[in-house]
Amino acid sequence: MFHHFLVHAAFQSSRWLPRDQRMKLPKSIRYCEKPLLNNLIASIVFSFLATGLAVALTLTDPVPKSVRAVYHTFGVLSFANGLCTIILTHSAPQCAKTTPELYLFSLVFSWACGLSTVFFVIRWFLWTSHRMHPNWFRETLF
């Protein structure tokens, strides 16, 4: 319903402006050569999948191996989507002039993908070190 609310709120708030004051630009001006819009659509699909996966993970206890496999596969695909986002955004600085909203979203999403990748790399490093040396943390503290 949240997405439905967003569409409804955007529609209703646009009606507060008089017709002659609404921003209308020719479509040829608002064109980005890079496929940032396609990447945005893929990100939206990943958001829906992430929502479903989050619900599945929170409602099952213990988590079956098949759901874990789907979770890790989703993580690899999400990493690939984030990498594509970073590459496309880096190669499309001209889109900042033609479609600034789309470029800004891609830029923010690129940073979010990079930061989340750093988070999971650190988490993987800690998990690996704990598996190799299970008592290392206790021995160094006490």
Side-chain angles (χ1 to χ4, degrees):
M1 287 305 285
F2 179 70
H3 292 96
H4 180 73
F5 170 77
L6 287 178
V7 172
H8 177 76
F11 174 75
Q12 292 298 328
S13 63
S14 72
R15 298 301 175 229
W16 290 350
L17 298 172
R19 284 183 184 241
D20 59 339
Q21 291 183 1
R22 295 179 194 166
M23 186 172 92
K24 293 182 181 178
L25 293 172
K27 291 184 180 180
S28 62
I29 292 176
R30 303 199 34 99
Y31 176 73
C32 180
E33 293 177 5
K34 301 294 179 179
L36 291 181
L37 184 60
N38 296 341
N39 192 47
L40 171 63
I41 293 168
S43 298
I44 291 170
V45 170
F46 271 95
S47 296
F48 284 121
L49 294 174
T51 302
L53 192 56
V55 169
L57 286 172
T58 56
L59 293 180
T60 56
D61 189 31
V63 178
K65 287 185 180 182
S66 60
V67 176
R68 287 183 191 175
V70 169
Y71 171 70
H72 292 300
T73 303
F74 178 78
V76 170
L77 293 175
S78 179
F79 172 74
N81 178 257
L83 193 60
C84 288
T85 300
I86 292 170
I87 292 170
L88 287 172
T89 304
H90 181 70
S91 66
Q94 69 276 14
C95 293
K97 294 180 179 121
T98 57
T99 53
E101 298 88 1
L102 180 61
Y103 182 76
L104 182 62
F105 174 80
S106 294
L107 193 61
V108 169
F109 194 64
S110 295
W111 277 100
C113 291
L115 291 174
S116 62
T117 300
V118 168
F119 169 77
F120 279 108
V121 166
I122 291 171
R123 189 173 186 274
W124 175 81
F125 175 74
L126 292 173
W127 178 79
T128 305
S129 63
H130 181 356
R131 297 282 277 182
M132 293 175 70
H133 308 286
N135 296 326
W136 174 75
F137 189 68
R138 280 190 211 137
E139 292 170 0
T140 57
L141 282 179
F142 303 109

